[in-house]
Amino acid sequence: GENVEQHPSTLSVQEGDSAVIKCTYSDSASNYFPWYKQELGKGPQLIIDIRSNVGEKKDQRIAVTLNKTAKHFSLHITETQPEDSAVYFCAASGSSGGSYIPTFGRGTSLIVHP
Amino acid sequence: KAGVTQTPRYLIKTRGQQVTLSCSPISGHRSVSWYQQTPGQGLQFLFEYFSETQRNKGNFPGRFSGRQFSNSRSEMNVSTLELGDSALYLCASSLDGGRGETQYFGPGTRLLVL
C-alpha cells in the first residue's frame, strides 16, 4: 500500500518568514495530493491540493509543488502569520478497490512567533 | 451548504463499554470515511461506506464496525472499549469517493476511555 513520509514534525518560524513542509510517497499510481490544516479542537480543513498532471499550484500565500519522478511534494507558505499556526497534513491518494482512500503523513506542527 | 457534522463532540466511557458515534455528510455526498486520530499514530483509516455498503476497511479489529443509512448518514460503533481506543474520531465525506475527489472532514468526536 501507499506510504507517506512528512518532514519536519515541528517547524518554528518568525512572523513574515517562509515555511516549507515536505512529503514523499511510495505508490507511483497516486495522482491526487491534498494538504490539510488542523487547528486545535477542529477537524482537518483542505487548504490546497494538486493533481499529478500539474507541477505547481498557488493560492495567495500558499503554494504546492509536485515532482512525480522523485515522488515528493511540498507545501510552501510565504509571509507567515500567527494564524498560520496549526498542524498541517499531507496526503496521497491512489486506488483501493472502487475508491481512492488517501494515506496521510504524520503531520507538521507549525508555530509562527509574532 | 452545511459541512460535515458529528455527534456527540465529546464522550467519556469506561473500559468494556460500547459506544456509537454519528456522522452526517455534506448534502449530496455519498461516500463517508472514518478515521482515528491519536498523537502517536496520526490519522488512521478505519473504513469507508458508499451506498450503504462498506467499500474499504483499514487494519482495525472487529470491535470497530460501522454502517451507512439510505440518506448517507453513517454511524460507527466500538464494542468492548479499551484504554487505547481513546482518540479523536473523524468522519469525512466526498461525492463518490472517486479519483481525485476531496474529502471534507467534520470536527470529530473526542472519546476518552477510563
Side-chain angles (χ1 to χ4, degrees):
Chain A
E2 175 66 276
N3 183 49
V4 176
E5 300 281 341
Q6 183 173 347
H7 299 280
S9 57
T10 305
L11 180 58
S12 182
V13 300
Q14 288 296 128
E15 183 177 1
D17 288 350
S18 294
V20 181
I21 302 170
K22 299 182 179 182
C23 290
T24 60
Y25 62 100
S26 61
D27 187 353
S28 56
S30 290
N31 61 355
Y32 177 60
F33 308 91
W35 285 88
Y36 289 86
K37 174 184 181 182
Q38 186 174 26
E39 296 174 315
L40 207 59
K42 298 183 179 180
Q45 300 296 308
L46 179 76
I47 54 171
I48 196 167
D49 56 14
I50 192 166
R51 300 174 195 277
S52 60
N53 58 346
V54 175
E56 182 175 0
K57 183 176 178 181
K58 286 186 76 172
D59 183 4
Q60 299 182 342
R61 297 185 297 109
I62 294 172
V64 58
T65 58
L66 171 65
N67 183 327
K68 282 218 74 181
T69 304
K71 287 192 259 182
H72 67 70
F73 55 114
S74 301
L75 177 72
H76 304 253
I77 305 175
T78 58
E79 299 172 26
T80 53
Q81 301 166 3
E83 51 265 39
D84 294 329
S85 296
V87 179
Y88 292 80
F89 292 94
C90 64
S93 177
S95 67
S96 173
S99 68
Y100 300 86
I101 303 299
T103 300
F104 287 84
R106 288 291 193 98
T108 295
S109 177
L110 173 64
I111 303 164
V112 181
H113 299 281
Chain B
K1 220 183 231 186
V4 178
T5 58
Q6 292 187 245
T7 57
R9 293 293 312 277
Y10 305 94
L11 265 180
I12 300 176
K13 293 284 187 179
T14 55
R15 276 182 301 173
Q17 287 187 310
Q18 74 163 12
V19 66
T20 299
L21 314 181
S22 180
C23 170
S24 292
I26 291 172
S27 178
H29 285 192
R30 297 187 294 165
S31 169
V32 175
S33 296
W34 288 89
Y35 294 85
Q36 181 193 67
Q37 186 177 31
T38 58
Q41 298 296 321
L43 274 160
Q44 304 262 295
F45 171 71
L46 280 155
F47 29 64
E48 183 230 2
Y49 284 86
F50 178 79
S51 290
E52 302 178 63
T53 301
Q54 187 181 89
R55 191 161 60 173
N56 288 284
K57 189 177 189 306
N59 293 327
F60 277 81
R63 301 185 296 107
F64 292 82
S65 62
R67 59 177 176 168
Q68 186 180 35
F69 303 93
S70 58
N71 61 357
S72 295
R73 191 177 69 85
S74 177
E75 289 181 346
M76 68 162 279
N77 183 277
V78 188
S79 62
T80 320
L81 284 166
E82 300 176 359
L83 295 179
D85 296 333
S86 294
L88 180 67
Y89 290 88
L90 292 161
C91 162
S93 76
S94 65
L95 275 170
D96 295 306
R99 179 184 288 273
E101 277 187 14
T102 300
Q103 288 193 332
Y104 295 90
F105 283 86
T109 294
R110 186 162 296 281
L111 172 65
L112 177 62
V113 182
L114 301 176

